Amino acid sequence: MLAYHIGHVEGFYQMARFINLTDMLFNAVHSVIYRLQATKPYEGTPGHFSRTQICLECNLVLADHRIHVPSKFEGFFEKINEDGLVSRENKLNEGSRIISFDIESLYTSIPHDEAILAPQEFINSHPDLPLPIPKEALIELIKLCLSFNYFFYKNRYFKQVKGLPMGNPISSAFANGFMDKIDKLIVESTQLQILMWKRYIDDVLCITEVDVSIIINFLNSLRPFLKFTYELEENRSLPFLDLQLTRNQNRIETKIYRKPTHTGSYLNFNSFGPICHKVAVVKTLSKRLTTHFTDKTDEKIEKARLFQELQNNNYPKEFIKKQLYTPKIPSTNNTQISTPNMFCSLPYSYGCERIARSLKKHNITTRYQPNQNLRSIFRHPDTKQIYKPEDRANVVYKIPCKSCQAIYIGETSKPLSERINQHKSALKRHNPTSLLVDHAFNNSHTPDFDHTSIIHQNIKEKHCRLFLESWSSLENKNSINRKIDLPDIYTQFRTS
């Protein structure tokens, strides 16, 4: 992954203010772009909202599922059967070879121009594509999303100039769009004699009748930056993703594949965590019993093993039985089920699950967040973002007076240094709406900007900053802020 240094924090903020224009653009078209609830792996990176929104559009318009393996295994063999290739009943020729291919470092190997060209060609070749915005605008936004990817190291910012960023929600859409072109070249090649080619991101399951050396040489000649590796059957068996494919009397049978390093350790039932996470462990593992097996005997063996491993992780037997996955029967009732339209986030602690149950009655879904994680404990010091106090944003701050004990308390979502410059500008212009300027001119006093300090930091929600600003103003008798009384419920928490 190539990158170049783009300057220190000051230069980055100037660039970030320009990039915020892209977010404004997406806000303008947000009413016609599908909403997408997603975690933010690039939280704080300029344009992340833009990339998250455009990710959904790219996945919608670039999908070519004739070649991909579905994300769920329920329809895996059925899909193969639809293509007229291989199914659970169809027999393989003895000369047929089952091969799995893997692409090394797919995301970070794809150049930006190749990643942009794939969706651009697809969109241009489908003029009737139902796009929510003009195709020219969509292509420009795709280019924009790939052009502004940054990471932080040793208190310096770097721009990624090659490869798709890991963790970015748009990378998978670009990678799939690019690999679609490669897939078609492979499938349409007559010299390879491909009977089946199914890809899931960078993992490929292939059935062919030619020697593997012919295929691997062809694959590695397609693009100089792509390197394919392969794995052949061993004892008539081959692992693919979490499936173990076995050739039995010229038929393919499947069961769950576990790596040799598998220890049977899962989220412990006695661990300090939400019960919904433990329910998900049981349901997810037991769901594979209904999707991964072609033989009932193997399924029974796996079920017994699953019970044993979960009990080794302190899951009660009755809890396991109650939470086992059962396939849902499609409902014939057309009545719409109400879906949660509000979300709240709570730090996980004792008693918060009772709060979540109460909120659920009001159609509010609760998401839990840890107070501390391993990343915050073991993160390398060179990758920690070290801000000077004046560079911090989303803060509540106080400015003392040089001539008396008065202080001004304020809040800002901008870097503190930028907010202080605004105060200085207001002072020069004699802004009558500023409480700080009013105190300075009415009393001939001078604000002590050099000793500005932060009271609360990392408060991203504006209403929270406003609350803390009001709270701090009431707590400090020397505050020149207008006093805003808080609801009586907060009175018992005040110290004065």
Side-chain angles (χ1 to χ4, degrees):
M1 180 173 65
L2 301 178
Y4 64 85
H5 178 227
I6 65 168
H8 291 283
V9 174
E10 292 80 7
F12 177 76
Y13 278 126
Q14 294 177 2
M15 179 272 299
R17 285 195 292 274
F18 169 75
I19 303 305
N20 282 338
L21 294 174
T22 66
D23 285 348
M24 292 170 60
L25 173 62
F26 268 90
N27 282 323
V29 300
H30 188 247
S31 59
V32 292
I33 294 183
Y34 297 94
R35 291 179 178 269
L36 177 65
Q37 294 289 342
T39 50
K40 294 188 266 186
Y42 269 51
E43 186 174 357
T45 303
H48 170 80
F49 172 78
S50 308
R51 299 187 191 103
T52 306
Q53 297 296 329
I54 204 68
C55 168
L56 182 58
E57 293 305 320
C58 290
N59 277 315
L60 288 174
V61 302
L62 302 180
D64 185 355
H65 298 293
R66 292 181 295 104
I67 296 173
H68 299 164
V69 173
S71 59
K72 298 180 181 179
F73 276 104
E74 290 92 331
F76 178 58
F77 284 99
E78 289 75 3
K79 182 64 179 173
I80 296 175
N81 192 30
E82 287 175 11
D83 294 340
L85 300 172
V86 175
S87 71
R88 302 181 189 184
E89 292 76 23
N90 289 345
K91 291 185 177 181
L92 292 171
N93 295 328
E94 192 62 34
S96 300
R97 294 176 173 85
I98 307 176
I99 311 168
S100 69
F101 292 98
D102 180 68
I103 307 169
E104 292 186 358
S105 305
L106 173 63
Y107 281 14
T108 54
S109 298
I110 302 176
H112 286 178
D113 55 349
E114 289 272 7
I116 295 171
L117 187 61
Q120 185 174 355
E121 289 179 351
F122 185 91
I123 293 171
N124 289 333
S125 61
H126 294 75
D128 298 330
L129 210 59
L131 296 175
I133 56 177
K135 66 177 183 179
E136 294 80 8
L138 181 59
I139 292 172
E140 287 302 315
L141 291 174
I142 289 173
K143 293 179 181 178
L144 189 65
C145 291
L146 267 184
S147 302
F148 297 96
N149 294 295
Y150 305 91
F151 62 91
F152 182 85
Y153 184 71
K154 287 190 175 181
N155 207 30
R156 301 168 75 189
Y157 287 92
F158 294 83
K159 180 179 180 180
Q160 184 175 349
V161 297
K162 179 185 176 182
L164 303 175
M166 300 296 294
N168 193 314
I170 203 171
S171 296
S172 60
F174 282 158
N176 271 326
F178 167 75
M179 284 305 300
D180 274 341
K181 296 173 59 179
I182 303 298
D183 291 334
K184 290 171 184 175
L185 292 175
I186 296 167
V187 173
E188 293 170 1
S189 173
T190 56
Q191 73 179 77
L192 301 182
Q193 300 180 28
I194 299 293
L195 299 179
M196 187 189 77
W197 181 273
K198 295 291 176 182
R199 177 178 58 82
Y200 182 78
I201 311 296
D202 58 353
D203 293 295
V204 179
L205 179 63
C206 173
I207 297 179
T208 182
E209 293 185 348
V210 302
D211 189 77
V212 67
S213 60
I214 298 176
I215 300 179
I216 197 68
N217 290 335
F218 178 86
L219 297 179
N220 287 327
S221 66
L222 292 173
R223 295 291 189 277
F225 52 85
L226 288 183
K227 183 178 180 181
F228 285 81
T229 59
Y230 66 92
E231 184 177 357
L232 298 173
E233 291 179 77
E234 186 175 340
N235 297 325
R236 302 175 69 85
S237 184
L238 177 71
F240 178 68
L241 301 178
D242 63 344
L243 274 179
Q244 183 75 37
L245 308 175
T246 304
R247 194 194 292 250
N248 183 10
Q249 296 180 355
N250 292 331
R251 293 187 302 109
I252 294 180
E253 293 186 352
T254 63
K255 60 181 180 180
I256 291 175
Y257 169 73
R258 288 184 174 86
K259 292 183 178 181
T261 54
H262 176 74
T263 61
S265 296
Y266 301 106
L267 176 67
N268 197 287
F269 189 79
N270 294 332
S271 64
F272 182 69
I275 191 66
C276 59
H277 292 180
K278 297 159 189 176
V279 169
V281 170
V282 179
K283 288 192 178 295
T284 302
L285 294 175
S286 60
K287 183 178 181 179
R288 300 195 299 177
L289 296 173
T290 65
T291 60
H292 285 44
F293 288 91
T294 54
D295 185 80
K296 291 295 182 182
T297 303
D298 290 336
E299 183 180 336
K300 291 179 181 179
I301 295 173
E302 172 62 26
K303 187 174 183 179
R305 176 173 180 169
L306 176 61
F307 266 77
Q308 185 58 53
E309 288 186 345
L310 289 174
Q311 289 181 72
N312 291 342
N313 288 272
N314 297 313
Y315 284 77
K317 192 173 182 178
E318 292 303 317
F319 180 85
I320 301 172
K321 289 181 179 179
K322 181 180 179 181
Q323 302 300 338
L324 280 177
Y325 173 80
T326 54
K328 294 182 179 179
I329 301 174
S331 176
T332 57
N333 189 359
N334 294 327
T335 304
Q336 291 186 349
I337 301 174
S338 60
T339 56
N341 53 12
M342 296 184 64
F343 298 89
C344 74
S345 179
L346 294 177
Y348 186 77
S349 60
Y350 285 111
C352 66
E353 292 187 31
R354 286 185 295 176
I355 299 175
R357 287 193 292 269
S358 299
L359 293 174
K360 188 176 181 180
K361 297 177 182 178
H362 300 280
N363 211 25
I364 300 174
T365 295
T366 303
R367 292 169 178 167
Y368 302 108
Q369 57 183 155
N371 293 317
Q372 196 173 40
N373 53 32
L374 291 177
R375 181 182 181 185
S376 63
I377 298 173
F378 296 108
R379 193 174 184 183
H380 193 279
D382 287 342
T383 63
K384 288 183 177 179
Q385 197 161 353
I386 304 173
Y387 285 117
K388 297 177 182 178
E390 60 268 23
D391 291 325
R392 294 187 179 275
N394 298 314
V395 298
V396 178
Y397 59 93
K398 65 178 180 180
I399 302 175
C401 179
K402 286 184 178 181
S403 308
C404 66
Q405 298 297 317
I407 62 169
Y408 170 80
I409 297 175
E411 61 84 22
T412 180
S413 61
K414 303 175 182 179
L416 181 57
S417 57
E418 187 173 329
R419 182 61 178 143
I420 291 176
N421 287 335
Q422 291 178 344
H423 283 303
K424 291 179 179 179
S425 177
L427 194 62
K428 290 180 180 179
R429 292 184 286 106
H430 298 184
N431 187 346
T433 62
S434 170
L435 293 175
L436 186 66
V437 173
D438 185 66
H439 173 80
F441 279 93
N442 289 342
N443 300 283
S444 299
H445 289 179
T446 304
D448 191 359
F449 292 113
D450 293 336
H451 288 85
T452 302
S453 58
I454 295 174
I455 306 174
H456 303 284
Q457 58 187 353
N458 298 326
I459 312 298
K460 297 180 181 180
E461 293 79 12
K462 182 176 178 62
H463 66 276
C464 293
R465 293 195 304 271
L466 291 172
F467 170 81
L468 291 171
E469 178 186 3
S470 300
W471 180 280
S472 302
S473 300
L474 291 172
E475 287 289 298
N476 197 307
K477 297 179 179 178
N478 296 321
S479 170
I480 61 175
N481 296 63
R482 297 187 182 94
K483 307 302 180 185
I484 301 176
D485 290 332
L486 297 174
D488 294 337
I489 191 173
Y490 297 107
T491 305
Q492 58 182 316
F493 297 107
R494 294 181 57 186
T495 57
S496 59

